[in-house]
């Protein structure tokens, strides 16, 4: 009865071959999720906000709401 | 523009520079999450392993990798950072120069380009607030500027160190007695923007806020004429 010789070398390499792709895969997935979940939507949100932004209309709305102190609502 | 309760991130940007800073922060935080996730995985893997190696020999390959990779990551962070740094340093022919002087414990603003306009800006005490006003943020006189115009602010102090800061415009500039610090900005949209003194200056350091009001040019001119008549 002879036992099979156990694997005695390359244990670290085997472990690295298993774990490193998973580690990098998860890390890159997290980074890409942040990029496409937060960064790009934020850039688009700012671009879209200013694409249709009418400064005069917004100013008048704020003025009538009494937000400013240097400019009173137009009725007063 | 001010912080809302339990806010974690930056306030919405109201100047082009602050928008750039927001995007740069997103870029850098993405890299931080990438590195942190990788390191966390490796730590957990090392803690649970049954493998041990008494002799770690000749690890040139990994040494090269974990020198080059961080260097590349640092370059990827440094390039946009330096770009914004130089962008912030550009003084783009300001239409208006205002001096903001820090005192214990209020700010004073001087508009001396054309006439001699100066006024103090004290915090409105909590008991004097009207409904809708923000506690510890409102002032009796606001610093009014024309919207979408480049403005230069010269910041200094009368007594001790203060710091003139408005987060949503991406501005913070120390007010040092005997020194004139210069910063410039453009507001992207009209509105009211709040900030607070950002350098410890005594008992009422938390009670000397800054309020910037950006209005169209003709309203700014009416306001400054009215202020001159009052003084």
């Amino acid at each position: 009865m002879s036992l099979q010789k156990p694997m005695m070398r390359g244990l670290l390499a085997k472990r690295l071959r298993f774990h490193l792709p998973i580690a990098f895969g998860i890390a890159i997935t997290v980074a890409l999720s942040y990029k496409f979940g937060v960064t790009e939507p934020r850039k688009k949100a700012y671009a879209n906000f200013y694409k249709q932004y009418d400064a005069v209309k917004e100013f008048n709305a704020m003025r009538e709401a009494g937000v400013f102190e240097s400019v009173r609502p137009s009725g007063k | 523009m001010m912080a809302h309760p339990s806010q974690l991130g930056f306030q919405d940007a109201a100047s082009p520079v602050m928008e750039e800073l927001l995007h740069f922060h997103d870029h850098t935080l993405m890299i931080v999450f990438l590195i942190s996730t990788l390191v966390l995985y490796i730590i957990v893997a090392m803690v649970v392993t049954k493998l041990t190696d008494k002799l770690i020999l000749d690890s040139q390959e990994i040494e090269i990798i974990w020198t080059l990779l961080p260097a590349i990551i640092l370059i990827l962070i440094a390039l946009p950072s330096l770009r914004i740094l130089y962008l912030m340093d550009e003084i783009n022919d300001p239409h208006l120069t205002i001096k903001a002087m820090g005192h214990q414990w209020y700010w004073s603003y001087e508009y001396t380009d054309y006439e001699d306009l100066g006024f103090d800006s004290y915090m409105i005490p909590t008991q004097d607030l009207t409904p809708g006003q923000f506690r510890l943020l409102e002032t009796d006189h606001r610093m009014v500027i024309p919207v979408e115009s480049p403005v230069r602010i010269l910041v200094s102090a009368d007594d001790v160190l203060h710091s003139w800061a408005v987060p949503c415009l991406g501005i913070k500039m120390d007010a040092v007695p005997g020194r004139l610090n210069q910063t410039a900005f453009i507001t992207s949209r009209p509105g009211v923007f709040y900030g607070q003194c950002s350098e410890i200056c005594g008992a009422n350091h938390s009670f000397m806020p800054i309020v910037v009001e950006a209005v169209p040019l003709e309203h700014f001119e009416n306001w400054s004429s009215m202020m001159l008549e009052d003084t």
Side-chain angles (χ1 to χ4, degrees), chain B residues 35-90:
Chain B
I35 296 171
S36 303
T37 318
L38 182 66
V39 169
L40 183 65
Y41 186 101
I42 292 172
I43 287 174
V44 169
M46 290 208 287
V47 161
V48 302
T49 186
K50 295 181 187 57
L51 289 175
T52 55
D53 192 340
K54 283 181 285 199
L55 306 163
I56 306 288
L57 303 167
D58 198 16
S59 48
Q60 248 190 4
E61 300 87 352
I62 192 155
E63 291 279 347
I64 290 173
I65 292 172
W66 69 32
T67 305
L68 267 187
L69 213 53
I72 293 169
I73 289 174
L74 285 174
I75 290 171
L76 284 178
I77 295 174
L79 287 178
S81 177
L82 287 170
R83 182 185 147 264
I84 297 183
L85 191 65
Y86 280 86
L87 185 75
M88 289 165 78
D89 239 0
E90 285 176 14

Side-chain angles (χ1 to χ4, degrees), chain B residues 144-157:
Chain B
V144 181
I145 55 167
V147 70
E148 287 174 24
S149 295
V151 174
R152 174 201 277 129
I153 309 278
L154 297 172
V155 183
S156 187

Side-chain angles (χ1 to χ4, degrees), chain A residues 11-12 15-16 18-20 22-24 26-28 30-32 34-35 38-39 42-43 46-47 49-50 53 55-56 58-60 62-63 67-71, chain B residues 11-14 19 22-23 26-27 29-30 33-34 37-38 41 45-46 49 51 69 133 139-142 144 148 188-192 213-216 219 223:
Chain A
L11 294 162
L12 179 61
R15 180 180 169 77
L16 286 178
F18 177 79
H19 281 288
L20 274 184
I22 298 174
F24 275 96
I26 294 176
I28 289 173
V30 165
L32 288 176
Y34 188 83
K35 183 176 174 69
V38 176
T39 306
R42 203 199 299 278
K43 281 190 188 152
Y46 273 86
F49 176 83
Y50 282 108
Y53 186 69
V56 175
E58 295 296 327
F59 168 73
N60 286 327
M62 283 191 263
R63 176 188 185 177
V67 164
F68 297 115
E69 285 183 0
S70 60
V71 193
Chain B
Q11 296 180 22
D12 287 341
E19 280 184 51
L22 273 180
H23 300 320
D26 281 339
H27 164 77
L29 191 59
M30 174 189 74
F33 281 145
L34 185 138
T37 318
L38 182 66
Y41 186 101
M46 290 208 287
T49 186
L51 289 175
L69 213 53
Q133 287 191 309
T139 56
D140 55 2
H141 298 113
R142 296 174 171 177
V144 181
E148 287 174 24
S188 311
R189 50 194 163 86
V192 182
E213 195 173 285
V215 295
H219 298 290
W223 168 84

Side-chain angles (χ1 to χ4, degrees), chain B residues 114-230:
Chain B
Y114 301 105
E115 309 278 345
D116 249 329
L117 170 61
F119 55 90
D120 298 335
S121 178
Y122 280 84
M123 183 186 87
I124 296 181
T126 304
Q127 62 264 28
D128 296 341
L129 290 170
T130 57
Q133 287 191 309
F134 300 119
R135 189 179 70 93
L136 305 185
L137 283 177
E138 301 284 357
T139 56
D140 55 2
H141 298 113
R142 296 174 171 177
M143 188 184 99
V144 181
I145 55 167
V147 70
E148 287 174 24
S149 295
V151 174
R152 174 201 277 129
I153 309 278
L154 297 172
V155 183
S156 187
D158 212 19
D159 35 43
V160 299
L161 292 179
H162 301 269
S163 186
W164 199 81
V166 184
C168 61
L169 299 174
I171 307 174
K172 185 177 292 176
M173 190 53 77
D174 277 1
V176 181
R179 181 183 170 88
L180 266 188
N181 278 332
Q182 175 181 242
T183 185
F185 64 94
I186 301 178
T187 45
S188 311
R189 50 194 163 86
V192 182
F193 311 112
Y194 295 90
Q196 293 176 289
C197 178
S198 298
E199 186 65 44
I200 186 81
C201 54
N204 287 345
H205 156 69
S206 315
F207 308 112
M208 47 182 292
I210 295 138
V211 187
V212 177
E213 195 173 285
V215 295
L217 182 61
E218 56 160 314
H219 298 290
F220 166 75
E221 288 170 344
N222 294 340
W223 168 84
S224 56
S225 308
M226 188 189 69
M227 289 293 284
L228 278 164
E229 280 164 24
D230 283 349

